[in-house]
Amino acid sequence: MTVDGHKKMGDFSLSDQVVNCETQFDVLRLLREVTKGFGYQYFFVAGSPSAEVKTFSEAIVITSAPSEMVQKQDASQPPPSNPLTVVLRQFSAPFEFRLDQPDQTVPANFKDFAERVAASYGLECSFVVPVYHPDHGPAALLFIGKRAPLSFVEAAELSHYGQLLHEKLRHVSARPPKPDSPLTERERECLVWTSVGKTSIEIAQILNLSEHTVNHYLNNAARKFNAVNRTQAVAHGLRFGFID
């Protein structure tokens, strides 16, 4: 990725590549490249805060961070002390948080989260891009790593691409099934989230369903494909284009 007035990867500007994303995997792959290109190690996509979302892991829709990072955060905080929930309720503009600038004003539990990540992984700065959808409310992208402070231009660009990528991720995730698909929309959604490694409990949080209902949809999908388990059902759905 180079900087010449616009961030670029290969022969296309980032904006072009976002437009050309057709599946969740395209968006997630591009998110990884953007994260690395701006000098961060990991990204988190967080969903809208709600009374039901008590822990850090429940707030995360998808992330490139190791699972142990999320698990350590859950283990070290008393529910409902979710750092992203507080941030989403208090901030509407993107902001950079750095542990080498102790006078910054951020919620205490977000600072505690950053300090734990720094202690365990050596990642000392983060950039939060709040996003808003009229039908779904506030959400956010969080980039975390160890790099020099963002310039004004970099912060503006990363905020812009964060907004575009989040909107594209929501768009491709909500795509209706193919006309010849045997899956209902809920069955397709559950298979899609299973394909990116989400558990039934996590899918239930994302879709605002019960774990029992998620398992019901996944079992239905497996039965329709004559699959022995959900992994085989995902493989069948991907092979025939019923899920992206």
Side-chain angles (χ1 to χ4, degrees), residues 170-182:
R170 185 176 293 282
H171 175 73
V172 298
S173 299
R175 182 179 298 168
K178 294 175 63 174
D180 59 344
S181 174

Side-chain angles (χ1 to χ4, degrees), residues 3 59 130 222 236:
V3 181
H236 186 100

Side-chain angles (χ1 to χ4, degrees), residues 29-203:
R29 186 162 45 246
L30 190 52
L31 261 171
R32 288 181 185 271
E33 293 184 41
V34 168
T35 301
K36 181 179 178 180
F38 277 87
Y40 291 99
Q41 274 66 42
Y42 304 118
F43 72 83
F44 298 82
V45 178
S48 301
S50 69
E52 290 75 26
V53 176
K54 304 294 186 183
T55 65
F56 184 61
S57 61
E58 290 173 343
I60 301 303
V61 175
I62 199 74
T63 181
S64 61
S67 59
E68 65 177 21
M69 181 185 291
V70 178
Q71 292 166 359
K72 283 183 178 180
Q73 170 61 23
D74 280 352
S76 63
Q77 64 169 15
S81 182
N82 183 335
L84 292 178
T85 298
V86 177
V87 166
L88 289 176
R89 287 174 177 165
Q90 293 187 10
F91 291 84
S92 59
F95 69 92
E96 182 180 23
F97 176 72
R98 305 186 59 85
L99 288 174
D100 57 3
Q101 296 178 8
D103 295 334
Q104 287 183 282
T105 301
V106 294
N109 58 353
F110 185 84
K111 183 177 180 181
D112 290 343
F113 161 70
E115 289 174 342
R116 282 191 292 270
V117 170
S120 299
Y121 299 93
L123 308 179
E124 300 174 350
C125 62
S126 56
F127 187 69
V128 181
V129 182
V131 296
Y132 184 84
H133 190 282
D135 296 329
H136 302 281
L141 275 77
L142 168 65
F143 301 92
I144 191 164
K146 186 174 183 179
R147 54 150 292 159
L150 290 168
S151 68
F152 177 82
V153 171
E154 285 180 314
E157 288 180 331
L158 187 51
S159 299
H160 174 63
Y161 294 130
Q163 295 273 353
L164 289 180
L165 285 160
H166 186 272
E167 180 61 27
K168 177 60 76 168
L169 180 61
R170 185 176 293 282
H171 175 73
V172 298
S173 299
R175 182 179 298 168
K178 294 175 63 174
D180 59 344
S181 174
L183 301 173
T184 67
E185 176 60 15
R186 280 304 197 190
E187 290 165 357
R188 188 192 71 84
E189 287 179 325
C190 290
L191 274 186
V192 166
W193 286 115
T194 299
S195 73
V196 295
K198 292 296 187 180
T199 66
S200 293
I201 293 176
E202 291 169 332
I203 297 169

